[in-house]
Amino acid sequence: MRANRERVPEFAFSRAREYAPTGTDLDNMKIIVDVFGGDYAPGEILAGCAAALKADENLRLILAGAEKPVGLGLVKAGADMKRCEVLDAPDVITNDDAPVEAVKRKTESSLVKALDRLKSDPEAAGLVSCGSTGAVLAGGLLRVGRIPGIPRPALAPVLPTLAGGGVMLIDCGANMDCKPAYLARFALMGSAYMRAVYGIEKPRAALLSVGTEDKKGNELSKAAFALLKTMRERGAVNFAGNMEARDCLSGEYDVIVADGYVGNVALKSMEGALNAVLKLLKQTLKSSLKTKIGGALIQKDLKRTLGRMDYTKAGGAPFLGVEKVIVKSHGSSKAETVCASILQAKREAERGVVGAIKAALKDMPPDNE
């Protein structure tokens, strides 16, 4: 473990109560699930809900979707019905809908009703959706609201690294056009998250650029670098300087800061490269009798190693900067990923992610407000 990765003792997570919004009941929190968001809704979503309920005996769920199919699906999945509430929502927002228009118009959709309940219910601590990314992001802003001092919330998945830990990529697609101050706040939010959820006392935050030298990058990254350097001097962020994309999964950093355009390209490039390597590996292992025998001998070790880089087991991407926890899971998520996303949302709420971000904002330089 690197020296800069000082771990926070478990008792420190009790600070979630200090950070919790007024009226929030952490002992009776519920997680809302958009049952009809995603490619495999509602079957795989409900199976994931049932699995999450089995994994956490204190978990309670609110399931937004058409009442009858949700109820029947829960029974089929073997869910604990005593810990489930169905929020009847007969309509659905699809990927073909214009996000903002759909959020405003389809008020009876599973996503909008889920967001409205998240906003109004003190016991509703978080929301999980596998639906339209644009609609989830638009709905989070329009129906739940952003944290004061955060001009642009960001989508921020935590990716597995070669070192065995995780690294947050913020932003990965919510904001295509950014100002330097946005990137500064991304660094602040990402650091607050990694500190609260992963227990890293001083997360190393780096700015994704075309070189590690201080002067590298376009005008946006140069200006953002200057702000982040100022924040480091104030002790607001443990800024490690510029980094190159080839080091994203190295484990040398805890937070990768980027605008949504660059971050999304980096994320999709990593996914594509990993898939290409896996295909080549499979082709090689099946190419001859010798490689088939070798593959059989290392099969268990290979599965274990590749499993470390399997993002489907980690859950979804937090949408940071809004007033409550929102986790956007991949549209193609199946039961295992849905389950992980639900448990992730509960963990984020328990550890006071929203409150931690609000507290961190106090360290922003005054001229960036």
Side-chain angles (χ1 to χ4, degrees):
M1 186 181 297
R2 298 195 315 272
N4 67 293
R5 285 190 150 206
E6 301 172 34
R7 295 287 168 175
V8 178
E10 189 66 28
F11 67 79
F13 294 131
S14 63
R15 294 177 67 191
R17 296 184 182 278
E18 173 189 341
Y19 290 146
T22 303
T24 300
D25 187 349
L26 291 177
D27 293 323
N28 295 294
M29 67 168 61
K30 302 174 183 177
I31 300 300
I32 305 175
V33 181
D34 171 16
V35 177
F36 280 83
D39 300 340
Y40 297 102
E44 290 290 330
I45 311 299
L46 293 172
C49 291
L53 289 166
K54 290 177 182 177
D56 186 341
E57 61 182 12
N58 296 316
L59 175 67
R60 295 194 296 161
L61 296 179
I62 300 172
L63 301 111
E67 189 171 18
K68 186 174 180 179
V70 170
L72 292 174
L74 285 171
V75 173
K76 182 179 179 181
D80 182 354
M81 301 298 288
K82 294 179 181 178
R83 291 186 282 146
C84 294
E85 175 190 344
V86 179
L87 180 62
D88 188 31
D91 206 353
V92 178
I93 292 177
T94 71
N95 287 324
D96 294 326
D97 291 318
V100 175
E101 182 183 347
V103 168
K104 291 180 178 179
R105 182 171 53 85
K106 290 191 171 183
T107 56
E108 292 297 306
S109 65
S110 57
L111 176 59
V112 173
K113 295 202 76 170
L115 289 163
D116 288 345
R117 180 65 178 271
L118 181 67
K119 172 75 173 180
S120 63
D121 188 348
E123 291 185 352
L127 180 149
V128 174
S129 177
C130 304
S132 161
T133 300
V136 172
L137 303 187
L141 278 173
L142 296 174
R143 316 298 291 207
V144 179
R146 60 181 175 84
I147 294 172
I150 300 294
R152 296 289 181 88
L155 200 58
V158 177
L159 309 174
T161 70
L162 296 173
V167 59
M168 171 168 279
L169 175 59
I170 181 168
D171 180 23
C172 78
N175 304 282
M176 294 295 108
D177 298 297
C178 287
K179 297 178 180 179
Y182 298 173
L183 299 187
R185 283 168 173 79
F186 293 169
L188 199 77
M189 290 195 294
S191 297
Y193 182 98
M194 297 302 286
R195 191 160 47 245
V197 177
Y198 284 81
I200 304 171
E201 187 175 2
K202 296 180 180 179
R204 284 172 54 91
L207 182 63
L208 188 57
S209 188
V210 293
T212 59
E213 297 86 354
D214 292 3
K215 302 298 182 181
K216 284 292 184 74
N218 56 18
E219 293 304 313
L220 172 62
S221 61
K222 290 176 183 177
F225 184 98
L227 287 180
L228 290 167
K229 186 177 179 181
T230 299
M231 291 171 67
R232 179 178 63 197
E233 293 167 354
R234 292 169 58 96
V237 172
N238 183 20
F239 180 48
N242 286 332
M243 63 167 290
E244 294 181 317
R246 63 187 176 190
D247 294 321
C248 283
L249 304 182
S250 66
E252 288 300 310
Y253 306 101
D254 304 302
V255 180
I256 301 170
V257 180
D259 64 83
Y261 184 89
V262 171
N264 191 267
V265 170
L267 180 64
K268 297 295 175 59
S269 297
M270 284 185 278
E271 289 178 349
L274 181 59
N275 288 334
V277 169
L278 289 175
K279 286 180 181 179
L280 286 172
L281 184 59
K282 288 179 181 179
Q283 290 173 7
T284 300
L285 292 176
K286 295 179 180 179
S287 63
S288 68
L289 178 60
K290 179 179 68 176
T291 57
K292 288 178 181 178
I293 294 173
L297 292 173
I298 65 170
Q299 185 176 16
K300 289 184 179 179
D301 294 324
L302 189 60
K303 282 185 177 181
R304 184 169 56 251
T305 299
L306 294 177
R308 289 170 49 192
M309 304 302 289
D310 186 359
Y311 68 91
T312 64
K313 296 179 180 179
F319 185 43
L320 300 183
V322 289
E323 283 284 4
K324 282 193 175 180
V325 169
I326 295 178
V327 173
K328 171 62 181 76
S329 198
H330 201 283
S332 61
S333 295
K334 292 193 175 182
E336 182 180 24
T337 306
V338 173
C339 173
S341 296
I342 293 170
L343 298 177
Q344 172 190 351
K346 184 172 184 283
R347 184 168 64 251
E348 289 179 17
E350 287 174 335
R351 297 185 175 180
V353 165
V354 174
I357 291 172
K358 290 180 177 180
L361 280 168
K362 297 175 183 178
D363 293 325
M364 283 296 297
D367 58 344
N368 290 337
E369 295 296 329

